[in-house]
Amino acid sequence: TDHQGRRRPRRRRLGGVLGVVLLVAPAAEACRFVAYVGDQPLDAAELLVDPFHSLVDMATEPALCPGVRDSRRYNASQFALRNNDLNADGFGVAWYDVARAENFPRRVRAADAIAHGASRHHELLEAVVGLGDATRPYLASNMTCVSDVAPRTSAARSKAIFAHTRAASAGAPNTLNSHPFLYNTLTWMHNGGIAGFDDDDDEDTAASTSGRSTTTVKELLRSRLDPAIRRLVAGETDSEYAGAAFAHELRQFPQGVHYPLHSMRTALRRAIRHLAELAAEVSDGASSLNFAVTDGVSLVASRYRTSAAEDPPSLYFKRVRPFGGEGGPTAGVIVASEPLDDDLAHWTLLGKDRMLSWGPDEGLTVECVDYPLDTQACDSDLPLSGTLSDFKAAEEEARRAPAGGGVLRV
């Protein structure tokens, strides 16, 4: 953005990751995130940097979204708006330390790309996953969390890990606007955009506002949020305000530490409804509301687009089985904007307007968001098959095809 807050094309250099300077058009409403919540601790490196298709790959390479083209609403232009090839406007990781009794999350965030210089990883990410020298003095200036992280030389290990890499839409690229966002013991992420949030809607949410209110969703939210919750908002993004709207709907907040899973599901449904209704007051544009939230014990996530004729950004999930058993109960869940593994057999594309939840007592539940009740039914989930490497090869071949021929890219 310029000094008056207007968006302009951004020039990003990713050094050894891409080896070239890219001119990036203004982002529409696409980011990428990965979340794990389960009953066993997981190393951050195993989740974020070791997979065949890691969060770093999602930030710096063309989107890999198998199954998306199978939707009856698939549109190549809309897909490109909601699933960026480059997500380099900041990143962050939050986790809950299994060695500490309290449930406040720890977090690192940065305003620049998750891939940094000649390395495939930013030094903050290296410190979290145990790849780098964690004694460097980054902690005091870059850590924004309730409890500071002690210097470490091994990977963060947690039953709940959230990580996000951003393509900025509402809100300039800076540390305060980088996900994940914290609300006491809650951690929140968003991929998408809220129509009418401010006066500078992006290409995918902008629409005619003739005859509509001259205010914005941001102004409406600020006037209606509980003051104690509003004070927790430090940045300027629609994503952070959406998280505040969720906290506002969570009845036990802020007294709770852990929340009943049914309360978190209900709060997310109400937040989606509230945000959709506010957006409809000020804009004819559609909103994408892919959310993920955890209290360190349970997880709730959604894949939602307010237009019945359009798809949201992609979102996938994978059941985590108990160690040594494929047929046992679900011991956790991984949710990701793109599949992490080469073998796709364990991954499912979450259907449009669906939400999933996992808790140690209830296990995994996938259901419709059910809003609006009378006009919009959700899609079925799509189990995947084959390999991501084959899918990637087909996508690369399609991009090499002459203009006007070949297979449409998804």
Side-chain angles (χ1 to χ4, degrees):
T1 58
D2 62 18
H3 68 283
Q4 294 179 318
R6 293 187 297 263
R7 192 175 296 104
R8 63 190 180 197
R10 291 182 297 280
R11 194 177 187 92
R12 291 281 178 194
R13 182 183 295 273
L14 295 184
V17 176
L18 298 183
V20 294
V21 174
L22 298 177
L23 286 176
V24 184
E29 49 160 69
C31 302
R32 285 297 183 248
F33 66 63
V34 175
Y36 163 75
V37 177
D39 60 12
Q40 295 297 318
L42 183 69
D43 282 348
E46 184 177 344
L47 179 69
L48 303 180
V49 301
D50 292 347
F52 174 82
H53 187 58
S54 71
L55 185 65
V56 178
D57 297 320
M58 295 184 209
T60 59
E61 298 180 3
L64 295 179
C65 303
V68 167
R69 189 165 39 201
D70 293 342
S71 168
R72 65 184 183 277
R73 291 172 296 271
Y74 173 74
N75 178 289
S77 298
Q78 291 179 5
F79 173 88
L81 287 174
R82 292 172 211 139
N83 300 274
N84 272 15
D85 287 351
L86 184 64
N87 301 273
D89 294 321
F91 78 95
V93 184
W95 70 98
Y96 297 73
D97 195 329
V98 296
R100 297 172 70 95
E102 80 276 4
N103 197 55
F104 289 108
R106 299 181 172 196
R107 174 179 62 180
V108 296
R109 297 190 293 178
D112 48 357
I114 193 171
H116 184 68
S119 169
R120 279 182 54 79
H121 311 114
H122 191 289
E123 60 183 9
L124 294 184
L125 178 63
E126 289 180 350
V128 171
V129 302
L131 296 178
D133 177 8
T135 63
R136 337 178 176 176
Y138 77 87
L139 293 168
S141 61
N142 290 287
M143 190 65 59
T144 52
C145 59
V146 175
S147 177
D148 285 344
V149 176
R152 65 189 313 133
T153 56
S154 59
R157 185 171 174 81
S158 179
K159 294 181 181 180
I161 304 171
F162 272 36
H164 187 283
T165 182
R166 185 176 182 232
S169 52
N174 61 47
T175 302
L176 289 179
N177 288 334
S178 295
H179 307 226
F181 300 106
L182 306 184
Y183 311 85
N184 290 1
T185 62
L186 297 173
T187 301
W188 172 272
M189 299 188 297
H190 174 212
N191 175 13
I194 299 174
F197 178 74
D198 55 26
D199 293 325
D200 192 22
D201 269 348
D202 58 58
E203 184 178 354
D204 196 35
T205 57
S208 170
T209 57
S210 176
R212 303 258 177 182
S213 169
T214 57
T215 190
T216 65
V217 170
K218 182 178 181 179
E219 293 168 341
L220 292 174
L221 274 175
R222 286 192 60 83
S223 68
R224 300 179 189 186
L225 286 173
D226 183 292
I229 295 174
R230 188 171 63 239
R231 285 193 291 270
L232 297 176
V233 177
E236 55 190 356
T237 66
D238 53 353
S239 303
E240 189 173 14
Y241 275 90
F246 170 83
H248 183 89
E249 299 291 348
L250 192 59
R251 290 183 178 179
Q252 301 92 336
F253 187 87
Q255 290 78 22
V257 174
H258 302 303
Y259 298 91
L261 192 53
H262 69 85
S263 296
M264 294 179 67
R265 284 195 294 257
T266 299
L268 188 60
R269 282 193 171 98
R270 288 175 174 169
I272 288 173
R273 177 173 184 170
H274 187 201
L275 293 168
E277 289 176 346
L278 291 181
E281 287 185 31
V282 303
S283 174
D284 291 325
S287 303
S288 288
L289 307 177
N290 285 22
F291 297 134
V293 61
T294 184
D295 62 353
V297 174
S298 303
L299 175 143
V300 182
S302 63
R303 181 177 181 236
Y304 192 88
R305 179 81 175 170
T306 56
S307 169
E310 299 173 358
D311 281 321
S314 60
L315 191 64
Y316 300 83
F317 66 94
K318 174 186 177 180
R319 294 172 173 86
V320 177
R321 301 296 184 184
F323 179 76
E326 282 294 320
T330 301
V333 65
I334 296 173
V335 179
S337 300
E338 301 172 27
L340 304 182
D341 304 320
D342 189 30
D343 183 358
L344 296 175
H346 299 293
W347 287 90
T348 299
L349 174 64
L350 187 65
K352 169 180 161 59
D353 302 338
R354 299 271 279 175
M355 62 185 293
L356 66 83
S357 57
W358 183 90
D361 296 326
E362 293 189 29
L364 181 66
T365 301
V366 188
E367 56 196 325
C368 293
V369 171
D370 289 335
Y371 173 77
L373 293 173
D374 55 344
T375 62
Q376 194 162 340
C378 69
D379 285 359
S380 299
D381 305 324
L382 179 64
L384 302 181
S385 61
T387 67
L388 195 62
S389 54
D390 286 344
F391 180 83
K392 181 178 181 179
E395 294 299 289
E396 291 172 347
E397 181 64 28
R399 284 192 292 272
R400 288 193 294 267
V407 181
L408 281 176
R409 174 184 177 277
V410 299

